């Protein structure tokens, strides 16, 4: 099937480099939005809040992170709850089924729209980890590194069974109405039960033993009301249903795509399905992480990813198996083991971040020279613009502000009171289009004399 209009929601952190080759494509899990970390526009904590920012796993000092909401979701990208322009009503049951490959193709269509040809890394966990591998397989020459956490090469029967149970909870609710429920209450009770079933697969028995044990909430023997773990599972379902945190159809459509996922392809010569053939283009440095207590994506599946990659000749495969007690949700919680491994993989050579460090240093030196020598003529400003913008035609406000701040710090005692917020506020005042970028004309209006006099003391 097809839809005539396809919306793609995304959020970004950090600044694009001149060649935009510092982009990290962060893939979402099934129920996640594109809001992976807080921003000035949306200060609410994101689902990977502790992994994104200066010095963190996805280091915004060097990388430009883009998180795309999935096709089929309900957080801005097109999905069953979106309005069909033909009818003016939500798609509901008429929204076409899709594959994980379709989701990744939508993400790369966005990258093309943004003018990004090659990305530094494809990073994801769970469904996002499947997408990360798919991106590397489909667009091998455009992905420099790949990180896949708690994912698989093909969905196994155990995972399919878990997700079918969730779908059945929703579809057995009379208010589901075969997916056309948007004019009524919807399958709230089914969504509650589906979330309870899902919660069982997201964490682990060892964690619950440590966290709850056999602690009782009642001194009497009551049906379904005896143990704290029962109370916890029930609370998770009720919270999701009460807040209407996720569209039930989105869960059904996306979980169906997950169940049908495989990287296998037919070998033309033999007609046989082959993982090795389907993954033949994943030759980038690859980080694969599994968790021993994960029941949804057991760690033998991550071992299989690493094994196949090595079998096809990828000699830059790192595989880590964590003994975390947090099960499948480890990728959300373990900033030390998961975060450290991701950061190391993205920044180490080959295909690391040394060129980004050098690029930042070169840009800073250009600005430092202009400020120190007070070269503020029109010709000097034009040369400075082209040095920063290169072939982009614009420069990022965040990049200019950060570089000015870095230069100010380099000038030491002469700029000891400057703050990044002050510089950013001034640079933003020049942005006539409010698009976060400065055109050549806007950059030429930048008064570096004002910057020196406002933010720095004259040297004595």
């Amino acid at each position: 099937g097809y839809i005539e209009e396809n919306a793609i929601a995304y959020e970004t952190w950090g600044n694009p480099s001149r060649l935009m080759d510092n982009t990290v494509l962060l893939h979402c899990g099934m129920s996640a939005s594109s809001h992976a970390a807080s921003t000035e526009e949306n200060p609410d904590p994101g689902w990977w809040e502790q992994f994104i920012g200066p010095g963190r796993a996805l280091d915004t000092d060097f990388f430009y992170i883009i998180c795309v909401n999935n096709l089929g979701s309900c957080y801005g990208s097109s999905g069953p709850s979106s309005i069909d322009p033909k009818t003016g009503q939500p798609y509901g049951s008429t929204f076409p089924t899709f594959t994980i490959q379709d989701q990744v193709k939508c993400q790369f269509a966005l990258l093309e729209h943004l003018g990004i040809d090659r990305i530094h890394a494809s990073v994801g966990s769970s469904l996002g980890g499947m997408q990360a591998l798919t991106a590397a397989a489909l667009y091998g020459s455009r992905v420099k590194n790949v990180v896949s956490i708690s994912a698989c090469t093909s969905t196994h029967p155990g995972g399919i069974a878990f997700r079918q149970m969730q779908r059945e909870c929703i579809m057995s609710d009379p208010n589901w109405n075969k997916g056309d429920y948007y004019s009524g209450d919807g399958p709230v009770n089914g969504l509650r039960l589906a979330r309870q079933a899902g919660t069982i697969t997201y964490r682990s028995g060892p964690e619950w033993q440590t966290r709850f044990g056999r602690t009782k909430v009642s001194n009497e023997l009551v049906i379904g009301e005896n143990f704290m773990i029962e109370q916890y599972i029930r609370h998770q379902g009720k919270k999701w249903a009460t807040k209407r945190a996720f569209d039930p159809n989105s869960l059904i459509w996306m979980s169906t795509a997950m169940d049908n996922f495989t990287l296998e392809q037919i070998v033309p010569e033999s007609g046989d399905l082959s993982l090795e053939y389907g993954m033949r283009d994943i030759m980038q440095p690859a980080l694969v992480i599994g968790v021993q207590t994960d029941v949804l994506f057991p760690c033998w599946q991550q071992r299989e990813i690493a094994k196949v990659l090595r079998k096809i000749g990828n000699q830059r495969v790192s595989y880590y198996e964590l003994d975390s007690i947090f099960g499948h949700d480890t990728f959300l919680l373990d900033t030390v083991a998961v975060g450290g491994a991701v950061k190391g993989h993205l920044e180490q050579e080959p295909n690391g971040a040394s060129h980004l460090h050098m690029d930042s240093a070169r840009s800073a030196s250009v600005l430092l020279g202009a400020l120190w020598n007070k070269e503020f003529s029109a010709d000097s400003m034009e040369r400075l613009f082209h040095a920063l913008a290169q072939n982009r035609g614009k420069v990022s406000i965040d990049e200019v502000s950060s570089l000015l701040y870095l230069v100010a710090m380099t000038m030491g005692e002469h700029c000891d009171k400057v703050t990044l917020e002050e510089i950013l506020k001034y640079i933003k005042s020049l942005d006539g289009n409010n698009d976060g970028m400065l055109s050549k004309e806007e950059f030429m209006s930048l008064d570096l004399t004002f910057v020196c006099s406002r933010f720095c003391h004259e040297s004595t």
Side-chain angles (χ1 to χ4, degrees):
Y2 69 95
I3 54 176
E4 293 188 358
E5 298 177 4
N6 184 24
I8 303 175
Y10 69 98
E11 290 188 40
T12 67
W13 300 262
N15 304 306
S17 63
R18 293 182 190 83
L19 300 178
M20 303 190 83
D21 60 347
N22 67 331
T23 301
V24 173
L25 179 59
L26 177 61
H27 306 275
C28 292
M30 183 178 69
S31 61
S33 71
S34 58
H35 188 62
S38 55
T39 62
E40 184 176 321
E41 294 78 13
N42 184 354
D44 292 339
W47 57 267
W48 235 30
E49 183 75 23
Q50 300 305 315
F51 293 80
I52 300 174
R56 293 179 174 173
L58 303 187
D59 194 335
T60 51
D61 284 340
F62 301 104
F63 298 120
Y64 179 53
I65 296 96
I66 300 179
C67 184
V68 185
N69 183 228
N70 287 315
L71 170 68
S73 185
C74 53
Y75 295 128
S77 293
S78 294
S81 61
S82 301
I83 300 299
D84 182 349
K86 290 182 178 178
T87 65
Q89 301 296 321
Y91 282 102
S93 62
T94 66
F95 195 81
T97 55
F98 51 85
T99 65
I100 287 178
Q101 284 81 354
D102 291 328
Q103 291 179 318
V104 172
K105 289 175 182 177
C106 286
Q107 294 165 3
F108 274 76
L110 171 66
L111 295 179
E112 291 172 8
H113 173 74
L114 297 175
I116 300 172
D117 178 60
R118 197 173 187 216
I119 61 175
H120 183 76
S122 175
V123 178
S125 308
S126 191
L127 166 60
M130 299 153 82
Q131 292 176 350
L133 291 170
T134 301
L138 292 179
Y139 304 98
S141 63
R142 299 176 60 185
V143 179
K144 288 178 62 179
N145 298 278
V146 60
V147 176
S148 179
I149 306 168
S150 296
C152 62
T153 60
S154 299
T155 310
H156 74 105
I160 295 172
F162 284 135
R163 283 183 288 274
Q164 171 57 20
M165 183 178 179
Q166 288 183 280
R167 289 192 294 269
E168 200 67 34
C169 289
I170 295 171
M171 296 165 68
S172 62
D173 187 323
N175 288 332
W176 181 58
N177 194 33
K178 297 183 178 179
D180 297 315
Y181 52 78
Y182 294 102
S183 61
D185 293 334
V188 177
N189 192 51
L191 182 63
R192 176 182 64 82
L193 294 174
R195 182 60 174 180
Q196 289 187 25
T199 300
I200 296 172
T201 69
Y202 301 148
R203 306 304 269 261
S204 77
E207 182 203 358
W208 286 340
Q209 178 62 36
T210 301
R211 187 173 174 183
F212 302 115
R214 288 179 52 82
T215 304
K216 290 192 173 184
V217 295
S218 173
N219 291 325
E220 298 181 7
L221 187 61
V222 181
I223 301 298
E225 297 284 349
N226 294 292
F227 295 97
M228 186 176 290
I229 183 62
E230 294 175 302
Q231 192 175 69
Y232 169 78
I233 295 296
R234 190 177 295 110
H235 169 72
Q236 292 300 312
K238 183 178 180 181
K239 182 173 67 173
W240 236 43
T242 301
K243 293 183 177 180
R244 303 289 181 96
F246 201 63
D247 179 51
N249 275 343
S250 286
L251 189 153
I252 291 173
W253 262 249
M254 286 204 287
S255 67
T256 299
M258 292 178 71
D259 286 355
N260 283 274
F261 173 70
T262 182
L263 287 173
E264 292 177 320
Q265 288 186 3
I266 296 175
V267 181
E269 293 79 8
S270 66
D272 297 330
L273 278 174
S274 168
L275 267 179
E276 290 86 353
Y277 185 75
M279 298 173 67
R280 66 192 181 280
D281 291 328
I282 309 180
M283 302 303 292
Q284 309 89 336
L287 171 64
V288 183
I289 298 178
V291 179
Q292 292 176 354
T293 56
D294 190 341
V295 298
L296 188 58
F297 287 83
C299 56
W300 63 261
Q301 293 188 298
Q302 291 85 58
R303 288 192 217 113
E304 181 183 43
I305 297 172
K307 179 181 178 180
V308 174
L309 288 175
R310 289 167 178 152
K311 187 175 181 180
I312 63 174
N314 189 331
Q315 298 180 358
R316 295 174 293 179
V317 180
S318 299
Y319 173 66
Y320 298 137
E321 191 169 297
L322 308 180
D323 62 355
S324 166
I325 67 169
F326 297 116
H328 188 63
D329 276 356
T330 294
F331 73 88
L332 296 171
L333 302 170
D334 196 337
T335 56
V336 176
V338 175
V342 172
K343 183 175 179 64
H345 183 74
L346 296 186
E347 297 182 19
Q348 71 181 355
E349 299 301 325
N351 291 11
S354 62
H355 68 292
L356 301 175
H357 293 259
M358 294 172 63
D359 189 49
S360 179
R362 280 193 296 267
S363 299
S365 68
V366 171
L367 270 178
L368 178 59
L371 286 172
W372 195 265
N373 297 314
K374 295 183 172 57
E375 295 177 353
F376 306 146
S377 67
D379 287 343
S380 296
M381 290 295 291
E382 186 170 356
R383 286 196 300 272
L384 183 57
F385 173 79
H386 288 299
L388 295 175
Q390 292 193 1
N391 296 322
R392 287 185 297 172
K394 289 187 176 183
V395 293
S396 163
I397 284 177
D398 288 337
E399 181 180 5
V400 173
S401 302
S402 298
L403 287 172
L404 278 173
Y405 179 70
L406 177 61
V407 167
M409 294 299 97
T410 304
M411 295 175 76
E413 60 180 349
H414 307 303
C415 297
D416 58 358
K417 293 185 178 180
V418 66
T419 67
L420 178 59
E421 289 74 19
E422 286 180 297
I423 294 178
L424 185 59
K425 182 178 180 181
Y426 168 63
I427 303 298
K428 280 185 174 180
S429 70
L430 306 175
D431 182 12
N433 296 327
N434 196 31
D435 61 355
M437 305 290 287
L438 294 182
S439 65
K440 180 180 177 181
E441 292 74 19
E442 290 169 337
F443 183 84
M444 294 292 285
S445 69
L446 176 62
D447 187 352
L448 291 183
T449 304
F450 170 79
V451 173
C452 284
S453 62
R454 171 65 181 85
F455 298 123
C456 299
H457 311 300
E458 293 291 339
S459 57
T460 55

